[in-house]
Amino acid sequence: MGEVINVTKSSMPSLEEYTEEIKDIWESHWLTNMGKHHDEFEQKLKEYLGTEHISLFVNGHLSLELTLQAFDLSGEVITTPFTFASTTHAIVRNGLTPVFCDIRESDYTLDPEKIESLITDRTTAILPVHVYGNICDIERIEAIAKKYGLRVIYDAAHAFGEKYKGNCVANYGDASIFSFHATKVFNSIEGGASIFREKRIGAELKKLKNFGIRDEEVVDGIGSNAKMNEFQAAMGVCNLRHIDDEIKRRKQVAQRYLDRLKGVEGLKLPQYKAENPNYAYFPLLVDEKVFNKSRNEIYDLLKQNGINSRKYFYPLTNTYECFHRKFNPDDTPVALHISKRIITLPLFADLKDDIVDKICDIILA
Ligand SMILES: *Cc1c(COP(=O)(O)O)cnc(C)c1O
């Protein structure tokens, strides 16, 4: 059985490019705490994304957790259970209560029709996810937030580089976070960023990612340690040089899957409806009643052939053991239905055509 194929493979610059980038660190001995590489990466991201206010973090999760903290929220936050653990944990770890809203069958993002009935006098924010890079119904979500005076903070971990109405997707709402984890479209080994509207949030985040230290003699925040180090930033700067090409190559892989799997009854393919999709994932929805195999059978068959797909996002976060049945997944029936039928297939820039063909052959056999 040849080499194992994983659902993703981290993008890397050449060894020469990276070593050239980090050489000066051996002169400066400046390894972390907002050094030269950190500042350069921040500046380059601002230019690439077209955003005004950005703050870098050691990972995407802490950028979300500390961004929620910076808004000093209380009570309940309306969110989706069809996401990675990070989204829900960031809410709970802030002492807030997640209120789970169902998703749309069309693109798996938060269903704006179902938000208003969940708003109570304790609700302070909405935390939607641009899941798989599918952009939420920003307009309707923000109209609801405005009507009830709620904050909107997007988990944009999957939506790096995408635009909405010609503008960086992270420029909407009060704030958005990106993840630069090794497994994401764009990586800085581990890393994350928060993009926000109000300048004062930047000062708050700067403090919170450095233990709440305001200056040498004043500590006025209960912060964490979430600073991006120089090696991460240097990797980010290198990978940013190649990101457009990476996305172009991802598109070719996704297109090959789409060509091979289109028109098959019982398989729903991703639609990539964003203005400039980043092809972060290839989620395939399997209707066992129509197609001749279930999601789990496809997953197992691929695994037997050395191909590791993922059941993203199964299980729903509102079923996690750590919440001791506090939430009822029957309250989000569409999300529950999708989570039992979805599988994400391997997708990365240099995934070879013959492997894509092999995966499709196994699915269609
Ligand atoms: C990856 C991810 C995160 C967390 O990012 P890390 O950089 O891994 O900490 C948050 N939300 C979603 C939806 C993710 O997929």
Side-chain angles (χ1 to χ4, degrees):
M1 184 168 82
E3 98 190 276
V4 170
I5 303 292
N6 287 318
V7 74
T8 189
K9 185 171 153 192
S10 303
S11 312
M12 294 172 78
S14 69
L15 181 58
E16 292 71 29
E17 185 178 348
Y18 187 61
T19 44
E20 190 53 42
E21 201 67 36
I22 60 174
K23 237 177 190 162
D24 68 290
I25 299 177
W26 268 257
E27 281 141 42
S28 67
H29 285 242
W30 190 291
L31 304 181
T32 185
N33 285 44
M34 286 66 90
K36 167 186 164 226
H37 294 274
H38 168 281
D39 292 352
E40 182 187 347
F41 184 33
E42 197 172 85
Q43 190 52 40
K44 295 237 153 93
L45 277 172
K46 269 190 200 175
E47 288 161 19
Y48 180 79
L49 296 168
T51 57
E52 200 180 339
H53 302 304
I54 184 166
S55 184
L56 301 180
F57 288 84
V58 68
N59 58 53
H61 176 76
L62 281 168
S63 86
L64 182 56
E65 198 173 303
L66 297 180
T67 300
L68 291 176
Q69 187 177 351
F71 281 95
D72 199 20
L73 304 170
S74 62
E76 298 170 358
V77 175
I78 295 176
T79 190
T80 167
F82 189 71
T83 184
F84 185 56
S86 172
T87 318
T88 305
H89 286 358
I91 296 171
V92 176
R93 288 172 60 85
N94 267 288
L96 302 164
T97 304
V99 172
F100 293 101
C101 178
D102 212 351
I103 59 173
R104 299 192 285 201
E105 237 176 310
S106 56
D107 64 0
Y108 319 130
T109 66
L110 207 59
D111 188 345
E113 293 284 336
K114 296 178 182 161
I115 295 174
E116 271 190 277
S117 65
L118 298 172
I119 295 173
T120 71
D121 54 8
R122 287 175 40 79
T123 312
T124 54
I126 307 174
L127 174 30
V129 179
H130 300 305
V131 68
Y132 306 127
N134 294 342
I135 295 174
C136 299
D137 193 334
I138 287 178
E139 225 141 276
R140 288 172 73 193
I141 290 170
E142 292 187 9
I144 295 166
K146 197 166 170 203
K147 181 170 163 192
Y148 293 91
L150 308 176
R151 295 288 192 177
V152 183
I153 296 158
Y154 291 101
D155 182 337
H158 301 172
F160 184 80
E162 292 190 338
K163 289 188 160 69
Y164 180 75
K165 298 195 169 167
N167 199 343
C168 174
V169 71
N171 287 344
Y172 293 88
D174 294 284
S176 297
I177 70 97
F178 287 131
S179 163
F180 307 148
H181 185 259
T183 55
K184 300 295 200 309
V185 168
F186 170 71
N187 84 77
S188 61
I189 309 173
E190 294 236 22
S194 177
I195 283 113
F196 42 89
R197 203 196 296 273
E198 297 165 65
K199 206 168 164 209
R200 69 166 187 96
I201 294 295
E204 205 54 34
L205 289 174
K206 189 172 169 200
K207 202 173 75 178
L208 289 174
K209 69 177 153 186
N210 191 27
F211 306 98
I213 298 172
R214 179 174 293 275
D215 63 39
E216 278 188 49
E217 301 190 1
V218 180
V219 180
D220 61 356
I222 305 175
S224 185
N225 179 3
K227 305 178 298 286
M228 174 178 280
N229 71 52
E230 292 290 274
F231 292 84
Q232 293 177 288
M235 183 65 108
V237 167
C238 291
N239 279 337
L240 196 58
R241 290 188 190 115
H242 307 288
I243 183 67
D244 290 341
D245 181 53
E246 285 276 321
I247 292 173
K248 221 178 275 165
R249 289 159 64 204
R250 281 176 167 273
K251 179 180 180 175
Q252 289 165 2
V253 176
Q255 194 55 54
R256 193 167 185 96
Y257 274 125
L258 291 171
D259 290 344
R260 287 286 323 267
L261 299 174
K262 72 167 179 249
V264 178
E265 286 205 35
L267 295 183
K268 187 182 156 202
L269 308 180
Q271 296 183 36
Y272 301 116
K273 277 193 174 154
E275 285 165 26
N276 58 334
N278 63 9
Y279 302 93
Y281 297 88
F282 194 94
L284 180 68
L285 190 73
V286 185
D287 181 352
E288 188 187 353
K289 288 207 192 90
V290 182
F291 192 63
N292 59 348
K293 299 182 195 78
S294 70
R295 183 273 305 270
N296 288 349
E297 284 171 285
I298 292 175
Y299 175 89
D300 292 340
L301 275 170
L302 291 173
K303 192 158 210 106
Q304 286 159 23
N305 285 277
I307 293 157
N308 293 322
S309 60
R310 295 300 297 261
K311 299 177 189 178
Y312 284 147
F313 287 95
Y314 173 86
L316 295 181
T317 69
N318 57 3
T319 68
Y320 285 0
E321 282 80 357
C322 58
F323 300 131
H324 307 291
R325 297 172 189 252
K326 190 170 162 199
F327 310 110
N328 186 355
D330 293 328
D331 293 343
T332 54
V334 176
L336 189 60
H337 179 93
I338 302 293
S339 76
K340 289 174 178 167
R341 290 165 179 79
I342 201 99
I343 185 166
T344 52
L345 301 179
L347 175 51
F348 45 88
D350 58 3
L351 184 60
K352 302 280 179 289
D353 286 352
D354 61 324
I355 304 288
V356 174
D357 289 344
K358 180 178 161 186
I359 292 168
C360 294
D361 289 342
I362 292 167
I363 293 170
L364 298 173

